[in-house]
Amino acid sequence: MLRAAWSAPFTRRTLGAELFCLIGAATGAAGFAIVLALLVPGTVASLSIAGTVLGLALLVLLVTGVARWLGALHRALAARLLGASIAPPPPVRAGRRAPLWFGRGLRDGPGWRAVAYLLLKLPVALLEGYAVFWWAAGVADLTYPFWWPMFRNHPPAVHLDPVPVLTPFGAFPVGTFAGTLAAFAAGAAMLLAAPWLARAVVWVDLGLMRGLLGSGRLAQRLRDLEETRARVVDDTAALRRHIERDLHDGAQVRLAALAMNLGRAREALGRDGPAADLPRTRELLDAAHRDAKDALAELRDLVRGIHPPVLDNGLADALATLAAGSPLPVRLRADIPVRPSAAIETIAYFCAAELVANAAKHSRAGTVDIRVAQRDGMLVMGVADDGIGGARPGRGTGLAGLVQRVHTVDGQLRIASPPGGPTRITVTLPLRA
């Protein structure tokens, strides 16, 4: 904790949060002023002209359009500086007829939510500016002991006014070099506290953005279901191609060799009388027997890849079998009072198998812990190892595929794997797919 407190002001996350606060304070104040300038005078002017309905409709379209544009700007800043991805709301669909077109502007829910965000952004922008002040004033206060000997080196008879030192709680004067040490201490304290203040303000702003500038719960849910459906279709197609390739390159080749060896053995036996070449016949029958066993083994592996037979007795027994056959020592604790559906058990088993295999191949781990429990109607499985860490999706460890598989049933996969370890991966799945 102490090391995190000292290093927090110099991390990339803090720099992004400070830049977001700096830009967000300016854009928030400007957006509030623009929306307020459009709403108040525009409403008065629209009510004072003959075309009241037309004026109000144009005003609504202008205000919501500007608010949407400013909301898109804030989402882009959040994505670029904070790494927070906020799905945009659906665009406004204009009707063919003018009245319908104006009506759609009045019913533009995302546009009005963007207006509400810009109005609520003002106090948040003030807090963001306050967070930036902590950082800027802290840096300035740190410089006092360094420039003081150069610019305050005056004869004793010369009297200079004290120099003010800015702090979040007011200013205090400094008239001696010893006082600059107090300024330095105040600046150091402000720099250490500024990252946490900036992160707190950013957290509030991101909450407002997700609630008012996002796509909304229903639209986001629909988008998630569309993505889930697309992933399920892709996974099914990939599984079908995998099965076809395994059958074509594996079991089909073995069965073809089996048929050829049996045909040659039949020719070597002849139709009538004793076998003309008994040793050759035995050799062909032995080869056919090996091909039959290899084909059976490959078919078993293929079936195990689709639905492992060990799952017939439940997920706990399947994980126990997996732990017993692992090249690494695996400590397993499973508490599953309510058995999940077959699809959920399959996903959980394959996740555990892939994570144990990753720990054995990549993490240089000595032990693996698997904990499975049920919490609030969800199946929660944690897999941890004492390896070198650094696990990330998309780095050839199979984690990206696990994330997609878990998302197909509205599950979550969280990864905590700092460099140096340990790695802790938590898979949360519903009990019913």
Side-chain angles (χ1 to χ4, degrees), residues 163-402:
V163 179
V165 177
L166 298 178
T167 69
F169 310 104
F172 65 89
V174 169
T176 62
F177 180 76
T180 63
L181 300 180
F184 183 88
M190 291 165 62
L191 273 184
L192 292 177
W196 311 107
L197 177 61
R199 293 179 187 181
V201 177
V202 164
W203 179 78
V204 174
D205 201 347
L206 285 177
L208 283 176
M209 293 174 66
R210 291 190 176 98
L212 297 175
L213 298 182
S215 57
R217 293 183 179 179
L218 184 59
Q220 184 62 40
R221 179 60 178 166
L222 180 60
R223 183 173 301 176
D224 292 341
L225 290 176
E226 291 176 348
E227 293 178 356
T228 300
R229 182 186 62 181
R231 283 194 294 264
V232 169
V233 172
D234 293 340
D235 289 344
T236 303
L239 179 60
R240 185 177 65 250
R241 290 193 299 269
H242 179 70
I243 294 173
E244 292 173 350
R245 184 174 61 252
D246 288 347
L247 287 174
H248 182 271
D249 298 338
Q252 182 176 340
V253 174
R254 300 293 183 186
L255 293 175
L258 171 62
M260 291 176 60
N261 288 326
L262 288 177
R264 292 174 181 174
R266 185 180 61 183
E267 293 176 358
L269 286 173
R271 295 185 178 276
D272 299 318
D277 190 356
L278 191 57
R280 175 62 176 167
T281 303
R282 289 181 179 147
E283 182 181 347
L284 291 172
L285 289 176
D286 290 340
H289 185 240
R290 287 194 301 271
D291 290 334
K293 291 194 296 183
D294 291 341
L296 286 174
E298 291 186 0
L299 289 174
R300 289 194 192 99
D301 293 339
L302 182 61
V303 172
R304 191 178 297 112
I306 301 173
H307 180 77
V310 291
L311 283 174
D312 294 340
N313 295 327
L315 180 60
D317 291 344
L319 293 177
T321 304
L322 175 66
S326 171
L328 290 177
V330 177
R331 294 190 291 263
L332 173 66
R333 184 173 64 190
D335 182 16
I336 312 175
V338 179
R339 184 170 181 178
S341 64
I344 298 299
E345 285 186 335
T346 302
I347 293 175
Y349 176 82
F350 278 121
C351 287
E354 181 68 26
L355 294 176
V356 171
N358 286 344
K361 293 178 182 178
H362 308 289
S363 70
R364 305 176 193 172
T367 58
V368 178
D369 288 323
I370 301 178
R371 300 289 182 266
V372 187
Q374 291 181 1
R375 301 172 189 168
D376 300 327
M378 304 290 287
L379 181 70
V380 181
M381 181 176 67
V383 181
D385 65 67
D386 55 357
I388 60 175
R392 295 291 184 275
R395 296 183 58 183
T397 58
L399 291 178
L402 293 185

Side-chain angles (χ1 to χ4, degrees), residues 13 40 49 51 62 69 75 92-93 119 152 167 179 200 250 263 280 315 327 367 390 404 433:
R13 178 182 176 184
V40 177
I49 62 176
L62 180 61
W69 182 82
R75 287 195 304 270
V92 180
R93 296 181 180 179
L119 295 178
R152 306 289 289 191
T167 69
R280 175 62 176 167
L315 180 60
T367 58
Q404 291 184 357

Side-chain angles (χ1 to χ4, degrees), residues 100-125:
L100 182 60
W101 188 55
F102 292 144
R104 287 184 182 274
L106 291 171
R107 296 192 300 268
D108 183 13
W112 287 114
R113 290 201 303 271
V115 172
Y117 170 77
L118 293 176
L119 295 178
L120 294 174
K121 173 72 174 180
L122 182 61
V124 179

Side-chain angles (χ1 to χ4, degrees), residues 15 40 44 51 55 64 85 112 271 382 397 410 425 430:
L15 179 60
V40 177
V44 174
T64 55
S85 178
W112 287 114
R271 295 185 178 276
T397 58
D410 289 343
I425 298 178

